Amino acid sequence: MDIASIDVGGRRMCAQVRGHGPSLVLDCGGAGQGLGGAWGTGLEDDLAALATLVTYDRAGAGRSDGPQSRTVADMTDDLHRLLRGLGLPLPAVFAGWSFGGLVVQHYALRHPDDVAGLVFVDPTAARTPPGSALVRTLSFAFVSRALRLRALLPTASSRSIRELAGTLAALPRHMREVADAFERGTLPPVPVRVITAGKRPRMPKAQLAHLNSCHQELADGSPHGRLVVAEHATHQIPHEQPEIIRQVISEIL
């Protein structure tokens, strides 16, 4: 795998560019490691046959220099500098899965001229969910702590688990940051698709309603937006129903 290492202001970020045609940027989930088939090797190969495909590791994740960025704005500005360092033809279609959906939302708000289309794959909701903010913060802190303890075991996934733990610890703050950004602006008027999971784990009805409404609202935020349900998939849509992502991205391209 040919990896490019790009200076983004005193740090180096690693990316891979494959394929030909219109530009497509994939942003991965909370661990921040986008290289090495995070979306599924088969799906990424298929997308590289349709477009100039960019995958990358966020700052402080995988092969990219650290530490991890403290804000989503920093993550989007890192990506902005990375794409220019790569010489990628812009505007591009951006696809974000899970936490990557927050990064792509913020990127589109901050750098709208770079964006030709948006695909959100079961994205993390930016709006404040129902329930106690204190309980929510403590819950994320507990999960983050449990992941850090798990990462003490010397396994191949230890580093990605530690990086995911760091993202989850700051997730409530990241969600507020993106929600605040939406208070100041709107998505560019480009095609938008929100792919939502059809299979959900047990959760309170209010939480489920909140997630569903956030996904619908994100799709409705563009005159060219549409919600797509991956009926046979959980949150792991790229691995359980990759064909729906392939179809949607093909339409946007």
Side-chain angles (χ1 to χ4, degrees), residues 103-117:
V103 178
V104 169
Q105 288 171 58
H106 202 282
Y107 192 101
L109 293 167
R110 198 169 178 88
H111 305 289
D113 292 342
D114 287 3
V115 179

Side-chain angles (χ1 to χ4, degrees), residues 205-217:
K205 288 183 179 180
Q207 296 282 354
L208 179 59
H210 170 77
L211 182 58
N212 289 338
S213 68
C214 285
H215 285 181
Q216 186 66 64
E217 181 180 305

Side-chain angles (χ1 to χ4, degrees), residues 68-229:
Q68 290 178 294
S69 299
R70 287 186 53 80
T71 68
V72 183
D74 288 342
M75 297 175 199
T76 60
D77 288 346
D78 282 347
L79 178 56
H80 183 70
R81 288 188 287 265
L82 174 68
L83 298 181
R84 273 151 180 74
L86 290 169
L88 186 75
L90 297 169
V93 173
F94 289 78
W97 172 30
S98 191
F99 180 80
L102 286 182
V103 178
V104 169
Q105 288 171 58
H106 202 282
Y107 192 101
L109 293 167
R110 198 169 178 88
H111 305 289
D113 292 342
D114 287 3
V115 179
L118 295 165
V119 178
F120 300 106
V121 180
D122 214 38
T124 300
R127 280 200 287 113
T128 303
S132 165
L134 176 60
V135 170
R136 186 164 52 253
T137 300
L138 291 175
S139 296
F140 281 122
F142 174 80
V143 173
S144 175
R145 177 63 175 168
L147 287 172
R148 291 182 192 278
L149 291 173
R150 179 180 168 189
L152 294 175
L153 297 174
T155 66
S157 60
S158 293
R159 180 173 179 179
S160 64
I161 292 172
R162 282 196 303 273
E163 290 159 357
L164 175 59
T167 301
L168 288 178
L171 188 55
R173 174 165 50 83
H174 292 326
M175 293 163 64
R176 287 194 300 272
E177 182 186 357
V178 177
D180 289 345
F182 270 106
E183 292 292 327
R184 300 187 297 270
T186 58
L187 295 177
V190 298
V192 174
R193 299 292 182 270
V194 181
I195 305 175
T196 189
K199 295 181 177 180
R200 294 286 180 201
R202 289 185 177 272
M203 65 175 69
K205 288 183 179 180
Q207 296 282 354
L208 179 59
H210 170 77
L211 182 58
N212 289 338
S213 68
C214 285
H215 285 181
Q216 186 66 64
E217 181 180 305
L218 188 57
D220 292 343
S222 166
H224 312 289
R226 181 162 61 89
L227 184 74
V228 179
V229 181

Side-chain angles (χ1 to χ4, degrees), residues 3 16 26 38 58 61 69 110 112 116 126 151 170 177 193 225 238 244 249:
I3 302 297
Q16 183 183 33
L26 298 186
R58 290 193 206 108
S69 299
R110 198 169 178 88
E177 182 186 357
R193 299 292 182 270
I244 200 166
I249 289 179

